[in-house]
Amino acid sequence: MKKLIGLTTSIEEDKYFRRLTAPVKSHGLLSDYFDYIDKTVRTTLEKYATTEEPIEFLHKMHRLPFAVFMRLLIGDEVNQELFDQMFEEITAVISGVHNLPINLPGFAYHKGLKARKVLGERFQKLIDERREAMKDGKSMPRANIIDMLLSNTNQDYEANILSDKKIIEILVLFSFAGFEPVALMAIKAILHLQKHPHFLEKAKEEQEEIVKRRASSNAGLSFDEIRQMTFVSKVINETLRIATDQTVFLRDTSTTFNINGYTIPKGWKFFAVVWNIHMNPDVYVQPKEFNPSRWDDIETKPGIFLPFSMGPKSCPGSNLAKLQISVILHYYLLHYRVEQINPEARCYPPENCLVKFKKLSLSSDGN
């Protein structure tokens, strides 16, 4: 993975670039990009519904959050040719990470290494172009990741200028984590709701109530309405809880401690297996069941729900991810359903899962 992603940082460097990219979590940035997210979701789902042939669910859904990520990366419209090229390259890198590290032609890892080299060159070109534009005083329409990383000055950190190599590594890491989990979680939420019609209906009714409260029947989804999606938020939490079966966190012990009679010395590395945390029956009754309503009563304590890790190592894109999934579910619940074409295929995780998107007939509220 190190050869494909490349990022290794000291504690100070890690803190530093997390401070630089902190605006990604902010309410202001999310609201600034909301209209683009909303438009991208609407047009993408409509396109799926008008496609006669079945679609490979995960691969197609990847393109939706990747479009959002590319806009956030650059801050402006992305050339379609560049978009397609970078999508294929980062997809090859992700495939390489998920496969055995066999560096021979024909293997996913080998393809991933080649794609990583090309991806680095594309990021370098974007960095060079943006740096020249900044020298000329040209600003982008919106805050973006490349500008955040290029505007790196910090008197508390002696090596306060990130090298281009380090910036590229950060961009590759953000690319790796910036869209695949969003697509995966959105699909898993949809498939869970399909299997549990009573929860699907409850989530749909919530979206219909949001539509009814709008001042105009022509008004679209707004950023403020995301806060009204209380049940959908529970659907997302429950999906994240169940879906993190392969997630582990590598951490260092900051002090010596004892657990179940075993002494763990300071400085040792350990794996935190999220599945064991999220499947703890002392916290989650019947933990293997998909039940969004369990979040009505759960007292959220530190350490019991870690889909995005926690503390200073937590994912900087967590709020953006949940926002995108909320918008996807809003339009899906109101307007679409999926029909699985190959039910015999392994669809959890949803690899090679073929579906047809179907648009629902116009509802009585006109939406």
Side-chain angles (χ1 to χ4, degrees), residues 10-199:
S10 66
I11 294 175
E12 285 304 311
E13 284 178 323
D14 184 69
K15 289 179 179 178
Y16 180 46
F17 84 74
R18 284 179 180 276
R19 283 199 296 269
L20 287 175
T21 56
V24 173
K25 287 186 174 182
S26 70
H27 181 278
L29 184 139
L30 296 178
S31 62
D32 199 25
Y33 278 89
F34 177 79
D35 287 345
Y36 179 75
I37 294 171
D38 181 70
K39 178 183 176 182
T40 302
V41 171
R42 284 188 288 106
T43 56
T44 301
L45 296 187
E46 182 66 27
K47 182 179 179 181
Y48 293 165
T50 56
T51 301
E52 294 185 4
E53 296 297 320
I55 63 172
E56 203 287 295
F57 206 2
L58 183 58
H59 182 72
K60 285 292 185 181
M61 188 65 83
H62 272 160
R63 297 182 70 89
L64 196 162
F66 187 73
V68 175
F69 169 76
M70 286 296 294
R71 176 62 71 97
L72 178 61
L73 180 77
I74 298 173
D76 199 2
E77 200 71 48
V78 180
N79 176 276
Q80 187 62 47
E81 182 179 0
L82 176 63
F83 175 92
D84 291 337
Q85 291 169 342
M86 294 189 72
F87 178 76
E88 294 303 321
E89 286 150 9
I90 192 59
T91 299
V93 171
I94 292 172
S95 179
V97 169
H98 291 323
N99 282 274
L100 292 174
I102 302 174
N103 191 12
L104 292 173
F107 286 88
Y109 182 76
H110 179 78
K111 294 177 182 177
L113 288 174
K114 292 175 66 176
R116 169 63 176 84
K117 183 176 183 295
V118 176
L119 192 64
E121 293 169 354
R122 294 198 193 281
F123 279 136
Q124 183 65 65
K125 184 178 179 181
L126 288 172
I127 290 169
D128 292 341
E129 291 174 351
R130 188 68 203 111
R131 186 176 281 125
E132 287 301 312
M134 292 172 77
K135 287 180 181 178
D136 295 336
K138 297 178 181 177
S139 61
M140 300 303 285
R142 293 177 178 82
N144 61 87
I145 294 173
I146 289 181
D147 280 9
M148 292 175 198
L149 295 174
L150 289 179
S151 303
N152 56 96
T153 55
N154 188 329
Q155 300 304 317
D156 297 328
Y157 180 40
E158 59 182 17
N160 61 4
I161 302 298
L162 293 174
S163 67
D164 283 3
K165 179 177 181 294
K166 187 68 70 175
I167 291 174
I168 290 170
E169 289 176 351
I170 294 171
L171 293 175
V172 172
L173 176 63
F174 276 20
S175 302
F176 180 78
F179 75 95
E180 186 194 34
V182 176
L184 190 59
M185 292 305 110
I187 289 174
K188 288 185 175 183
I190 288 171
L191 294 179
H192 278 305
L193 289 172
Q194 291 272 115
K195 292 178 182 178
H196 299 83
H198 52 298
F199 290 137

Side-chain angles (χ1 to χ4, degrees), residues 124-325:
Q124 183 65 65
K125 184 178 179 181
L126 288 172
I127 290 169
D128 292 341
E129 291 174 351
R130 188 68 203 111
R131 186 176 281 125
E132 287 301 312
M134 292 172 77
K135 287 180 181 178
D136 295 336
K138 297 178 181 177
S139 61
M140 300 303 285
R142 293 177 178 82
N144 61 87
I145 294 173
I146 289 181
D147 280 9
M148 292 175 198
L149 295 174
L150 289 179
S151 303
N152 56 96
T153 55
N154 188 329
Q155 300 304 317
D156 297 328
Y157 180 40
E158 59 182 17
N160 61 4
I161 302 298
L162 293 174
S163 67
D164 283 3
K165 179 177 181 294
K166 187 68 70 175
I167 291 174
I168 290 170
E169 289 176 351
I170 294 171
L171 293 175
V172 172
L173 176 63
F174 276 20
S175 302
F176 180 78
F179 75 95
E180 186 194 34
V182 176
L184 190 59
M185 292 305 110
I187 289 174
K188 288 185 175 183
I190 288 171
L191 294 179
H192 278 305
L193 289 172
Q194 291 272 115
K195 292 178 182 178
H196 299 83
H198 52 298
F199 290 137
L200 186 149
E201 187 60 28
K202 185 173 181 179
K204 180 175 181 286
E205 289 174 357
E206 178 182 75
Q207 306 314 300
E208 290 173 340
E209 286 301 314
I210 289 172
V211 171
K212 290 176 182 177
R213 287 194 291 268
R214 291 173 185 163
S216 168
S217 59
N218 295 323
L221 181 65
S222 71
F223 183 67
D224 289 338
E225 286 175 340
I226 299 297
R227 298 179 181 178
Q228 301 174 29
M229 300 182 187
T230 55
F231 188 72
V232 160
S233 177
K234 294 169 186 175
V235 169
I236 294 172
N237 280 350
E238 185 69 349
T239 302
L240 289 169
R241 184 188 68 82
I242 292 179
T244 48
D245 55 337
Q246 298 179 2
T247 303
V248 295
F249 302 133
L250 179 63
R251 295 291 183 264
D252 297 328
T253 54
S254 58
T255 185
T256 298
F257 68 96
N258 185 282
I259 180 170
N260 295 333
Y262 293 92
T263 298
I264 311 297
K266 177 182 177 180
W268 276 35
K269 295 184 183 296
F270 68 94
F271 282 105
V273 182
V274 177
W275 175 257
N276 291 340
I277 298 169
H278 289 177
M279 289 292 145
N280 183 352
D282 293 333
V283 178
Y284 304 103
V285 178
Q286 296 179 311
K288 292 185 179 181
E289 289 190 6
F290 177 79
N291 179 15
S293 295
R294 74 169 74 247
W295 295 91
D296 295 344
D297 305 315
I298 287 180
E299 182 182 353
T300 53
K301 299 178 181 178
I304 69 166
F305 184 54
L306 306 173
F308 300 104
S309 188
M310 65 183 296
K313 291 279 189 178
S314 63
C315 174
S318 57
N319 292 339
L320 178 62
K322 288 187 285 188
L323 175 62
Q324 292 181 77
I325 298 169

Side-chain angles (χ1 to χ4, degrees), residues 347-363:
C347 284
Y348 195 84
E351 297 171 356
N352 303 315
C353 183
L354 298 178
V355 301
K356 289 197 72 173
F357 256 73
K358 295 185 175 182
K359 191 163 188 176
L360 301 177
S361 58
L362 196 66
S363 61

